[in-house]
Amino acid sequence: QKEVEQNSGPLSVPEGAIASLNCTYSDRGSQSFFWYRQYSGKSPELIMFIYSNGDKEDGRFTAQLNKASQYVSLLIRDSQPSDSATYLCAAFREKLTFGTGTRLTIIP
Amino acid sequence: GAGVSQSPSNKVTEKGKDVELRCDPISGHTALYWYRQSLGQGLEFLIYFQGNSAPDKSGLPSDRFSAERTGGSVSTLTIQRTQQEDSAVYLCASTQGRNQPQHFGDGTRLSIL
């Protein structure tokens, strides 16, 4: 079992809709969770991080954490074509561990 | 503002040669990670430095790979006797503390002929 699992996609969402990206992790001791966006040929850039159970909102982005279910999600509201990218989920315990990413395509 | 700086941005070398990749982290960041990313693939963890602790080398794929971090700042990743399968983008990231977000450099694109 991978430590951090994501559906590789591609996930296609119409422009203006909500994109929902999901991630599960195996280590119950994981303390913090991060979402990165990576455009093709570019480095990952931080979108959100979350430490506590519940929701955390930043603009069009909402991160959700459920430690009991070992589940992290990222919601993107009012999806834009510029949101098309690969989204990487990461969990930290002793070190940061990344999932393989979900490729998101926003359809105009 | 000074982000994570990596050099060179591109490196092309012949099979069997040694290469050195450099990472200059954000000033004051205590932790530094090296990753490798092949085309269309996820991030492959290589090595992790945290302060003065012994580095976590568990991700290094073979003994041809080594890394050091001098003075708790600049890090060098060395690949000896390069092979074609070493071709990838090598990414460095630094973070302020153990539980803090990572900031990535632009990477070094390594091509082994």
Side-chain angles (χ1 to χ4, degrees), chain A residues 16-34:
Chain A
I18 295 174
S20 178
L21 301 159
N22 304 317
C23 172
T24 58
Y25 60 95
S26 61
D27 186 349
R28 282 200 171 273
S30 296
Q31 301 161 333
S32 51
F33 306 87
F34 304 86

Side-chain angles (χ1 to χ4, degrees), chain A residues 50-85:
Chain A
I50 187 166
Y51 300 135
S52 304
N53 272 329
D55 295 0
K56 180 180 178 182
E57 187 174 318
D58 183 0
R60 295 187 297 113
F61 299 95
T62 299
Q64 299 176 317
L65 173 60
N66 184 326
K67 289 188 177 182
S69 300
Q70 295 176 242
Y71 177 91
V72 192
S73 65
L74 179 70
L75 302 178
I76 307 173
R77 288 181 298 282
D78 187 24
S79 297
Q80 303 297 310
S82 59
D83 296 327
S84 297

Side-chain angles (χ1 to χ4, degrees), chain B residues 23-35:
Chain B
C23 173
D24 200 343
I26 294 172
S27 178
H29 279 197
T30 59
L32 187 150
Y33 292 74
W34 282 99
Y35 297 94

Side-chain angles (χ1 to χ4, degrees), chain A residues 32-44:
Chain A
S32 51
F33 306 87
F34 304 86
W35 282 99
Y36 287 81
R37 176 176 64 199
Q38 186 174 27
Y39 292 115
S40 180
K42 300 294 187 182
S43 297

